[in-house]
Amino acid sequence: MAAVGSSGSTGAAGQGTVSAGSLEAGTVSAAHRRLKYISLAVLVVQNASLILSIRYTRTLPGDRFFATTAVVMAEVLKGLTCLLLLFAQKRGNVKHLVLFLHEAVLVQYVDTLKLAVPSLIYTLQNNLQYVAISNLPAATFQVTYQLKILTTALFSVLMLNRSLSRLQWVSLLLLFTGVAIVQAQQAGGGGPRPLDQNPGVGLAAVVASCLSSGFAGVYFEKILKGSSGSVWLRNLQLGLFGTALGLVGLWWAEGTAVAHHGFFFGYTPAVWGVVLNQAFGGLLVAVVVKYADNILKGFATSLSIVLSTVASIRLFGFHVDPLFALGAGLVIGAVYLYSLPRGAAKAIASASTSASASGPCTHQQPPGQPPPSQLSSHRGDLSTQPFLPKLLTKVKGS
C-alpha cells in the first residue's frame, strides 16, 4: 500500500509537471506568434515607408536637400547607435569599451580593412537609391528593386557555394520576367511623368544598386561567418568607413554647392524622417528578422509592394494599368516562392506528385494528426528560425 501510494503521488506530481511544462510552452508559443506578427508589421512599414518618404521629399517644391549629405548623416547616426549598443553591452564601463574598440578596430586592423569594400559599395548603393527614386515612380522602383533577390542569389552561388532549389530558380525567372514587364510598361509611358524625371537613368541606377546590394550583402555575410566580431561591432566599422567614404563622395559630387549653401540646406522634418529611417531601418530590420521566418519576410516584401503602389496612387497620382499589374503580380509571386523553406517546397512538390499519382483517392490520417505535408512545412519553417530551438530547449529543461 505504501508503494502504491508513493507511486500514485509520483504519478500526480508527474502530471503536474507535464501540465506546467505545457502551460509554459503555450505561453512561449503565444509570445512567439505575437512577435512574428509585430515583425511582419515592422518589416512592411519600414520597406514601404523608406521608398515613399524619399520619393515624397524629392518631389516637394522648394529647396531640394543634397542626397549625399543625407547618406553621410545616416551613416553617422548608424555608427553612433551601434556605439551606444556596444557601450550598453560593456555595462556602461567606458574603459572596457575603449580597450575593446582599440583591440577590435586598431590592433586587428586587417579585419577592419576588410569592411572597407562592402562599406564603399553600401555608400554607393545608398546614393544610387536617391538617384533611382528621383527618376522612377515609387511603385515602379519598389518592384524593380526586387532584382536584388536575383543578384544576391547569384552572388551566393558564386561566392558562398550555395545551391538553389528548382523552385527558387523558377521564382528567379518569374522575378526577372515581372521586372521586365514593369519596365516595358514604364518605357511605354505608363501615365504622365514630371519633366525632370529620366526613366533610363532611374533604371540604370536601380540595376546598379541591386548589383551592389547583392555583392555587398554576400561579402558582408562571408566576413561575419569568418570572424568572431559581433554584428554591432561590424556595423560600427561599416559606419566609420561609410561616413568617411560618404564625405569623399559629397566633396566630389556636390562639394561646391554644399560649401555655398550649407550641409543641412533644404532639410525639413520630412527629410530628417528619411535620414532616421535609413539609419535605424537597417539595424531595426536586422533585429526584427530574428523573429520572422523566410515566409514572413517574403510576405512582408509583397505587402510593401502593394502598400507602395496604393500609396503612390493616392500621393503621386500613379496610374496602374494591366501591364504593371501583371508584372507586379509576377514579382510578388516570385518573392513568395523564393522565400519558401526547402522543406515546404519539397512538401508542395511531393503533395502535387502524390495527388497526380493517386487521383481522387484519399489517405485517412489518424484523428487529430495533421497531414504529412503540413508536418513537413512546419519542420521547414522551424529550420529557418534559429532562435526557436533555444526556446524549446529551455522549456524542456525547465
Side-chain angles (χ1 to χ4, degrees):
M1 293 294 294
V4 172
S6 61
S7 66
S9 62
T10 303
Q15 291 174 2
T17 303
V18 171
S19 299
S22 301
L23 181 62
E24 186 175 352
T27 304
V28 171
S29 177
H32 169 238
R33 283 197 302 270
R34 188 161 54 249
L35 284 173
K36 284 181 69 173
Y37 291 126
I38 293 174
S39 301
L40 174 63
V42 171
L43 285 170
V44 171
V45 171
Q46 200 279 332
N47 283 343
S49 64
L50 179 60
I51 308 305
L52 292 170
S53 58
I54 292 178
R55 178 66 183 167
Y56 175 73
T57 55
R58 300 303 280 177
T59 55
L60 284 175
D63 297 330
R64 178 176 287 190
F65 69 99
F66 300 111
T68 51
T69 63
V71 171
V72 171
M73 282 305 303
E75 292 296 331
V76 169
L77 292 175
K78 188 188 303 180
L80 289 176
T81 303
C82 293
L83 187 61
L84 287 175
L85 290 170
L86 290 173
F87 182 65
Q89 286 183 354
K90 299 301 177 182
R91 299 183 178 180
N93 192 313
V94 178
K95 182 179 179 181
H96 287 177
L97 177 63
V98 171
L99 291 175
F100 169 75
L101 292 178
H102 177 267
E103 174 70 22
V105 178
L106 297 179
V107 176
Q108 301 180 16
Y109 65 92
V110 175
D111 282 344
T112 302
L113 290 176
K114 289 179 182 178
L115 292 168
V117 175
S119 182
L120 172 63
I121 298 174
Y122 279 134
T123 304
L124 174 65
Q125 174 194 344
N126 290 334
N127 282 282
L128 286 172
Q129 280 187 356
Y130 281 97
V131 175
I133 297 173
S134 299
N135 288 279
L136 291 174
T140 303
F141 172 83
Q142 185 79 308
V143 172
T144 309
Y145 193 55
Q146 301 314 311
L147 279 176
K148 64 183 179 180
I149 298 175
L150 173 62
T151 59
T152 302
L154 295 179
F155 282 119
S156 297
V157 171
L158 294 175
M159 298 173 60
L160 300 178
N161 296 322
R162 284 181 179 163
S163 61
L164 300 178
S165 66
R166 189 175 303 174
L167 183 63
Q168 286 178 317
W169 283 114
V170 171
S171 66
L172 292 178
L173 179 62
L174 289 177
L175 174 68
F176 184 81
T177 304
V179 170
I181 291 174
V182 168
Q183 286 302 317
Q185 179 266 353
Q186 180 69 24
R193 69 170 67 99
L195 295 176
D196 59 345
Q197 278 192 20
N198 189 330
V201 172
L203 176 60
V206 74
V207 169
S209 181
C210 290
L211 285 171
S212 60
S213 173
F215 176 80
V218 174
Y219 186 90
F220 187 49
E221 180 182 350
K222 193 172 184 179
I223 291 176
L224 284 178
K225 289 184 175 181
S227 65
S228 58
S230 68
V231 175
W232 306 127
L233 173 62
R234 296 310 183 196
N235 275 286
L236 173 61
Q237 293 168 319
L238 281 176
L240 293 174
F241 281 114
T243 301
L245 294 169
L247 287 172
V248 172
L250 183 155
W251 172 79
W252 179 74
E254 299 172 322
T256 304
V258 172
H260 181 264
H261 294 286
F263 189 90
F264 296 107
F265 175 76
Y267 272 58
T268 63
V271 175
W272 278 111
V274 171
V275 172
L276 292 173
N277 195 337
Q278 196 166 36
F280 302 133
L283 299 176
L284 181 63
V285 169
V287 175
V288 166
V289 162
K290 175 182 177 182
Y291 300 103
D293 55 33
N294 282 336
I295 295 180
L296 272 187
K297 284 187 285 183
F299 191 51
T301 302
S302 303
L303 278 180
S304 66
I305 293 174
V306 175
L307 181 61
S308 297
T309 303
V310 173
S312 296
I313 296 172
R314 300 281 297 178
L315 297 175
F316 312 119
F318 182 73
H319 174 68
V320 177
D321 60 12
L323 203 59
F324 178 88
L326 174 62
L330 286 175
V331 170
I332 290 173
V335 170
Y336 177 76
L337 288 176
Y338 185 84
S339 63
L340 284 176
R342 294 201 175 210
K346 290 179 181 179
I348 292 174
S350 62
S352 60
T353 304
S354 60
S356 60
S358 60
C361 296
T362 58
H363 177 67
Q364 284 295 109
Q365 296 291 331
Q369 182 74 11
S373 60
Q374 294 181 9
L375 287 174
S376 301
S377 175
H378 185 60
R379 284 195 295 267
D381 188 38
L382 287 177
S383 66
T384 63
Q385 302 171 22
F387 62 97
L388 265 181
K390 296 179 181 178
L391 291 179
L392 293 177
T393 303
K394 181 179 179 182
V395 172
K396 290 179 181 178
S398 58

